[in-house]
Amino acid sequence: MKQDKREVSLVLVNLALLLVQFAFAGLAVFARVGTGTMQPVTFATLRAALATPFIWLLSRFVESEVSISQLLDGAYLKIIMLSILGITVNQLCWIHGVKFTSAVNAGIYQPLIPIYTSLICILTRKEKFNLLKFVGICVSIAGALVVLRVENLDLGSSFETTMGNLLLLGNTLGYSLYLIYQKPLLQANPYPFTYTFICFFFGGFFIFFFSLFYLEGYQDLPNAGVMSVVSVLYSGLVGTFFGHSVNIWALKHTNSSLVAIYICLQPALISLLSYIFLDEVITIRDLIGVIIIIIGLLIVIRVNFVESSSPPPSKDGYEAISDTPPNPLLQSIELREIPLSSPSSPSSSPPPPPSSSSSSTTTTYLTLSK
């Protein structure tokens, strides 16, 4: 019965991660519309400002027993750094990376997130190296690059392109570190929605502060069309509130590598949504890339299930040894106390231990029980 509960739990986690990627893929499509009529940093500020109150309401409804001050106590600097990495750096680097390069470049860099995540987890000994999992990650990344047309990557035809590529590297590295170092906080205090609210509160504040250097973006808001308003609503409520809330819930129940590998599905889902909403064409190459991504993803999911079935790690990081049958020879050894008095006649079995009131000297022998 325990096996069935674990399988259901893993199914829910993987289904949640799949829904998150649909939300993030839609975010990429709607952001393309929204940033066409407003400054990218203004769009990011409105997105965070809309999502943060809803994340707070969710945290108070689900996790009302914990206060924000409790989580900040002793972890203030860690949470501030996570806010900067996962919200401020991640979003601003992505938006300006797209501005200085192209959406193609931005998409091609996203599969670096599972690579960064896996390598950092292995090097910091947060996860064990598993060759099959690493192969699955590489297969999924290869499929994502097939869909994204990696041959179109512009490595630096101009100074702006070079800057854009560096910003996209910062975007992917920042999000990887956000996934990795948020996991220990969740293990110590399992309140994912409250942590997400705190990160968005501080991260959104830094984004707003940065947007003050682009005040013309706010001046253009009255001229924004209906689709721009729809794109902000989707980005704030679905792409950010729903996407980040469900993503951190999944991170609470699995490892950082599995959460990161699902990002490889985004190019395929973006192509699907672009076909539905933007009348873009899906090619045979896209379908082949999707199949490759799914094969790699299934490998990682299978490895993750096997690892979750193994004994849990102990506090010092080593695997706990459990359910090991005892050595039958050692099991037959027992301690008995035998008095040193001279027996009147030999006995076939050792006499029973003397009572506590006896003053005779005793010694201890190892005997084998029958």
Side-chain angles (χ1 to χ4, degrees):
M1 195 68 182
K2 289 182 180 179
Q3 181 98 2
D4 295 337
K5 288 182 179 179
R6 182 171 62 249
E7 289 177 358
V8 170
S9 176
L10 286 175
V11 168
L12 288 175
V13 168
N14 285 281
L15 178 60
L17 289 171
L18 179 61
L19 292 175
V20 167
Q21 298 315 311
F22 267 106
F24 286 166
L27 177 62
V29 174
F30 279 98
R32 191 183 309 173
V33 177
T35 54
T37 56
M38 66 181 71
Q39 287 281 348
V41 68
T42 307
F43 181 85
T45 304
L46 295 175
R47 169 190 169 188
L50 181 60
T52 303
F54 284 94
I55 298 173
W56 177 79
L57 289 173
L58 177 64
S59 68
R60 294 304 85 202
F61 180 76
V62 179
E63 301 166 352
S64 58
E65 70 276 10
V66 65
S67 66
I68 294 173
S69 59
Q70 284 179 275
L71 297 186
L72 287 174
D73 185 26
Y76 190 87
L77 291 178
K78 290 181 181 178
I79 294 177
I80 293 292
M81 288 305 299
L82 281 175
S83 304
I84 294 173
L85 287 172
I87 310 302
T88 310
V89 171
N90 174 36
Q91 294 191 19
L92 291 181
C93 284
W94 180 74
I95 288 173
H96 289 87
V98 172
K99 178 181 179 180
F100 291 141
T101 59
S102 65
V104 172
N105 273 32
I108 291 173
Y109 276 100
Q110 294 309 299
L112 287 175
I113 293 175
I115 295 180
Y116 287 150
T117 305
S118 297
L119 288 178
I120 294 172
C121 283
I122 291 169
L123 291 175
T124 57
R125 303 184 69 179
K126 295 182 181 297
E127 294 180 16
K128 294 188 302 181
F129 175 76
N130 186 295
L131 180 60
L132 189 58
K133 178 190 282 189
F134 186 74
V135 169
I137 291 172
C138 291
V139 170
S140 290
I141 291 169
L145 294 178
V146 169
V147 175
L148 290 166
R149 275 80 175 165
V150 67
E151 69 274 8
N152 295 330
L153 174 66
D154 186 353
L155 291 176
S157 58
S158 65
F159 175 76
E160 281 194 351
T161 303
T162 303
M163 282 297 299
N165 286 326
L166 291 175
L167 289 170
L168 291 172
L169 286 173
N171 152 243
T172 52
L173 181 58
Y175 191 70
S176 296
L177 293 172
Y178 176 71
L179 289 177
I180 293 167
Y181 289 101
Q182 200 172 41
K183 181 69 176 177
L185 291 177
L186 290 175
Q187 289 175 329
N189 296 289
Y191 300 104
F193 304 124
T194 307
Y195 272 123
T196 303
F197 164 70
I198 296 172
C199 288
F200 266 91
F201 179 82
F202 288 111
F205 172 78
F206 292 127
I207 292 176
F208 171 73
F209 177 78
F210 191 80
S211 72
L212 295 179
F213 294 95
Y214 298 88
L215 289 177
E216 66 274 11
Y218 294 103
Q219 297 170 358
D220 295 337
L221 285 180
N223 300 324
V226 175
M227 285 306 299
S228 296
V229 175
V230 172
S231 67
V232 170
L233 291 174
Y234 178 92
S235 300
L237 298 179
V238 181
T240 305
F241 166 57
F242 173 80
H244 280 269
S245 298
V246 177
N247 200 54
I248 194 173
W249 175 86
L251 180 61
K252 174 185 173 182
H253 295 282
T254 188
N255 55 59
S256 303
S257 296
L258 182 65
V259 175
I261 188 64
Y262 265 89
I263 293 172
C264 292
L265 277 176
Q266 281 191 40
L269 297 177
I270 289 172
S271 297
L272 176 62
L273 294 176
S274 297
Y275 170 76
I276 295 173
F277 295 105
L278 301 177
D279 296 326
E280 294 186 3
V281 179
I282 296 179
T283 65
I284 298 297
R285 174 171 177 163
D286 294 327
L287 296 177
I288 293 173
V290 170
I291 292 172
I292 296 173
I293 292 170
I294 293 174
I295 291 173
L297 188 57
L298 290 175
I299 293 173
V300 176
I301 292 173
R302 175 58 184 168
V303 172
N304 191 69
F305 175 76
V306 172
E307 289 181 347
S308 69
S309 304
S310 61
S314 58
K315 291 182 179 179
D316 58 3
Y318 296 97
E319 285 193 359
I321 301 174
S322 60
D323 301 327
T324 305
N327 188 315
L329 179 60
L330 295 177
Q331 193 178 23
S332 66
I333 295 177
E334 62 182 32
L335 292 175
R336 293 189 181 181
E337 289 184 339
I338 303 175
L340 290 178
S341 59
S342 299
S344 58
S345 61
S347 176
S348 59
S349 61
S355 63
S356 58
S357 60
S358 174
S359 59
S360 59
T361 308
T362 63
T363 186
T364 302
Y365 291 92
L366 282 175
T367 63
L368 293 178
S369 62
K370 302 295 184 183

